[in-house]
Amino acid sequence: MQPIDLNKRIHTLDYLRGFALLGIILVNIPALLWIEPPTTSVDIAYSHFLALFVEGKFFTIFSFLFGVGFFMFISRATAKNERAYLLFLRRIALLFLFGIVHVFFQPGEALTVYALFGLIALPFYKMRKELNLAIGLILLAVTAYFGIKIAMPFPLILLGLAAGQYQLFEKINAHQKKLIVLTSILFLLSLGGWLYQWSYVPDATPSSVDTMSKEKLEEYIANIENFSLIGMQISPFVSAFYVGILVLLLQYPLVQLLLSPLREYGRMALTNYLGQTALILLIGLTFQLISHINLMSSLWICIGIYIFQLLFSKVWLKFYRFGPIEWLWRMGTYWTIPPLVKRC
């Protein structure tokens, strides 16, 4: 394995983290604002869009990236002759504490899950990359097939760890043709999965359920369950396709320039993830929207939060080296106060 470059930040990972955050908020907002199940045709169509293209796809990317970051953190700390495992344990403990606070506001939060699975994955850092890849793929296939969403982050973290061991993101240019082929295959698999999932789309509105016969009602419930399960089963292929297409697009300088706000958004991923919850609840309480808003309207709130956080991240990182929560996280990890303000 080639040595880790201690000073080089892999910006592709920042873009991917920012991209993952864009999808995560769309899935989290209905629970935070207590949005009722969709009843209008517009809300139902948007609900189907989320189920097909968003739900289970972006948290998959985020979990995988956590594994990549886990590998890079320990590798760089080891290369600097620092107490890598002790630092990682502090980092995980702080992440768990952030999650414990966050779960009071967002019951579906992921930080505690990442912390626990990150701790379990720690011994795998010393294992061969081929073994981590194999174990990760097998466990992901099992958890995705049976729809065990709560367990999926662990194999995804292992796959992120393996990606770090293979140095995939450091060697994108060298394997660009292979990436194009792989992304094309993933697109075809995703397309087939979407079509299969769509064949189970519930074809009735909730208001018509009361008039259904027993047989029709059972078929309707089965379709809802299968529609959701298939979405989870195909999520690894769809997520990998999203990652592949974005990585390929980022090889063009113009795309990098156009998406540059996404890079800063991803650099402050922890701040922005927690900030999404805070902003949703603040908006919901201020304008009395909790339990009084439909699903489609929540999209406009998400777009407003996108704009605010993208601009905030861009401006903040012009003057500061880390996001505010990232700075606290770093302080607690190293037991020192890192410089926050950029030097002129």
Side-chain angles (χ1 to χ4, degrees):
M1 183 184 297
Q2 296 177 358
I4 297 291
D5 188 333
L6 302 182
N7 299 312
K8 184 177 180 182
R9 186 176 184 94
I10 302 175
H11 294 299
T12 300
L13 297 175
D14 293 325
Y15 283 104
L16 289 172
R17 290 188 188 99
F19 176 67
L21 284 171
L22 295 181
I24 286 171
I25 189 176
L26 298 176
V27 177
N28 286 344
I29 193 171
L32 286 167
L33 293 184
W34 294 19
I35 297 175
E36 294 292 329
T39 54
T40 67
S41 58
V42 173
D43 279 359
I44 291 172
Y46 179 53
S47 175
H48 291 162
F49 170 82
L50 291 177
L52 284 166
F53 303 109
V54 182
E55 289 179 10
K57 282 72 175 180
F58 290 83
F59 103 93
T60 299
I61 298 173
F62 214 59
S63 301
F64 171 78
L65 294 173
F66 180 83
V68 179
F70 156 42
F71 170 80
M72 295 182 66
F73 178 84
I74 295 183
S75 297
R76 288 177 173 174
T78 301
K80 293 177 181 177
N81 295 317
E82 296 174 330
R83 295 175 293 178
Y85 288 101
L86 176 61
L87 292 176
F88 181 75
L89 290 174
R90 289 180 192 165
R91 189 173 176 84
I92 284 293
L94 285 166
L95 189 68
F96 186 78
L97 290 176
F98 286 141
I100 288 294
V101 175
H102 190 216
V103 77
F104 284 101
F105 304 96
Q106 165 58 296
E109 79 91 33
L111 300 182
T112 51
V113 176
Y114 290 158
L116 291 172
F117 282 136
L119 186 62
I120 295 171
L122 185 56
F124 289 84
Y125 177 79
K126 289 288 188 180
M127 293 178 63
R128 293 177 56 184
K129 56 189 178 184
E130 296 85 359
L131 195 56
N132 284 331
L133 177 62
I135 294 173
L137 288 173
I138 292 169
L139 290 180
L140 181 60
V142 172
T143 53
Y145 180 79
F146 290 103
I148 313 172
K149 184 177 180 180
I150 190 63
M152 285 180 68
F154 180 64
L156 290 164
I157 289 170
L158 287 186
L159 291 175
L161 171 59
Q165 292 174 313
Y166 279 101
Q167 297 185 340
L168 292 185
F169 290 98
E170 292 92 336
K171 300 177 179 178
I172 293 172
N173 290 331
H175 300 291
Q176 191 166 343
K177 290 184 179 179
K178 292 179 182 178
L179 181 58
I180 292 172
V181 173
L182 178 60
T183 303
S184 300
I185 294 171
L186 288 167
F187 168 69
L188 294 175
L189 291 171
S190 299
L191 182 60
W194 283 324
L195 292 173
Y196 180 56
Q197 185 182 6
W198 185 254
S199 68
Y200 285 92
V201 65
D203 58 358
T205 61
S207 59
S208 65
V209 170
D210 294 338
T211 62
M212 288 183 179
S213 64
K214 181 179 179 181
E215 292 77 12
K216 283 289 185 181
L217 181 60
E218 290 176 350
E219 180 182 350
Y220 175 71
I221 294 173
N223 276 351
I224 292 176
E225 292 174 347
N226 287 325
F227 187 65
S228 178
L229 176 60
I230 294 167
M232 192 60 59
Q233 290 171 339
I234 68 172
S235 63
F237 300 108
V238 177
S239 301
F241 165 65
Y242 288 167
V243 169
I245 197 68
L246 183 56
V247 169
L248 288 172
L249 289 172
L250 288 171
Q251 303 313 299
Y252 298 95
L254 179 60
V255 175
Q256 292 181 24
L257 179 64
L258 292 174
L259 297 182
S260 61
L262 203 61
R263 183 181 65 199
E264 276 70 36
Y265 194 45
R267 282 186 62 189
M268 292 172 49
L270 183 56
T271 294
N272 285 319
Y273 173 67
L274 297 174
Q276 286 178 352
T277 299
L279 289 170
I280 290 170
L281 292 177
L282 179 63
I283 292 169
L285 292 169
T286 301
F287 297 100
Q288 299 181 345
L289 297 177
I290 296 178
S291 296
H292 297 97
I293 186 174
N294 59 33
L295 185 60
M296 191 65 202
S297 297
S298 72
L299 173 62
W300 307 119
I301 295 177
C302 292
I303 291 174
I305 292 174
Y306 289 159
I307 295 170
F308 173 77
Q309 287 193 318
L310 287 166
L311 290 173
F312 175 76
S313 300
K314 189 80 173 176
V315 173
W316 179 275
L317 289 174
K318 278 186 176 295
F319 302 99
Y320 301 101
R321 300 177 63 205
F322 315 102
I325 305 299
E326 285 78 9
W327 181 68
L328 292 173
W329 197 16
R330 192 175 184 89
M331 186 191 307
T333 298
Y334 292 97
W335 286 6
T336 184
I337 300 178
L340 179 61
V341 180
K342 286 183 176 180
R343 295 178 180 177
C344 297

